[in-house]
Amino acid sequence: MDSTGNLGPVTSEGYWVEVYANLPDDGDGELIHGWIPEGASVLELGCGTGRVTWSLAALGHPVTAVDHSADMLTHLGTEPGVRTVCAEIEDMHLGETYDVVLMGSYLVHVADETARARMLDVSREHLAPNGKVLVEWWPPDWFVQTRNQEGVHGDFHLTQSKTPHDDGRLLTLAVTFRRGERTWRHDQVVRRIDLDELETSLKAADLAFGEWLMPNQRWFSATPLSR
Ligand SMILES: C[S@@+](CC[C@H](N)C(=O)[O-])C[C@H]1O[C@@H](n2cnc3c(N)ncnc32)[C@H](O)[C@@H]1O
């Protein structure tokens, strides 16, 4: 992971550590806690600086938090109930299973379809027989709403623009975070997943769609197909 001037370290896909270390909690940990059994063990993929990790651990969940950025993981420190693993999700074989595998942060939209398949395989491999994978995604409609957006998020002023390409199957999402004199910009190519493709991708990983966890369909669950 390289460093860029006074903006600090950035991950290989362009996430700024300084931004994630300072984003507000947003209550995602509490939301997830409400969907899973008390004390359920969690494997969190792409944990970043631990925004969600901390709150899940504080709510009684032992969390194994995975990220390929050592710079991100530095911020997790040594919290009770939290273990960190520095690894590429796609290549990870911990030889352990968990009640819940968390695939948040829209990881499922990675542009490379092989990487998506690998992430789903890895999620399945680490899932206990009665466990579930929780996935955060953008429903297909999100890809056609291309109006620019701006707003305030904690200390940051945010702008977001979307540029579709490849007949709308891919989209470049450009996000800027401004705080005082400094602006962090992140451009990311993400892949739309239609509902039939989602079902096929889950099935290929020996997973079955479970249920929508929110009315706006931002999160869904998936369970093992075979036991
Ligand atoms: C958008 S950040 C979100 C961090 C955290 N989940 C949050 O909500 O604050 C995504 C994180 O996933 C990590 N990540 C992305 N792709 C990864 C991969 N293939 N293997 C391991 N970590 C990955 C990045 O390093 C980054 O820290």
Side-chain angles (χ1 to χ4, degrees), residues 11 13 15 20 44 46-48 51-52 66-69 72 87-90 105 107 119:
T11 72
E13 55 291 296
Y15 295 115
Y20 282 88
E44 184 191 1
C47 62
R51 218 168 44 91
V52 175
V66 179
D67 208 288
H68 59 185
S69 163
M72 287 281 191
E88 286 299 331
I89 297 163
E90 295 90 317
S105 300
L107 288 173
M119 286 189 194

Side-chain angles (χ1 to χ4, degrees), residues 93-165:
H93 304 281
L94 296 179
E96 299 164 359
T97 58
Y98 295 81
D99 301 319
V100 174
V101 176
L102 208 55
M103 199 169 150
S105 300
Y106 311 99
L107 288 173
V108 72
H109 293 286
V110 60
D112 176 357
E113 289 170 289
T114 311
R116 175 174 83 215
R118 285 293 311 137
M119 286 189 194
L120 290 171
D121 284 344
V122 166
S123 300
R124 173 65 183 94
E125 178 182 327
H126 293 87
L127 199 58
N130 292 317
K132 50 187 172 182
V133 186
L134 304 187
V135 182
E136 186 177 28
W137 85 320
W138 290 300
D141 273 6
W142 180 90
F143 285 77
V144 289
Q145 294 154 9
T146 50
R147 210 159 24 93
N148 290 353
Q149 293 193 328
E150 62 181 308
V152 173
H153 202 186
D155 293 342
F156 296 99
H157 180 265
L158 243 85
T159 65
Q160 181 182 286
S161 67
K162 297 174 182 170
T163 310
H165 37 104

Side-chain angles (χ1 to χ4, degrees), residues 75-89:
H75 287 262
L76 268 129
T78 48
E79 297 299 311
V82 177
R83 172 181 152 220
T84 57
V85 174
C86 191
E88 286 299 331
I89 297 163

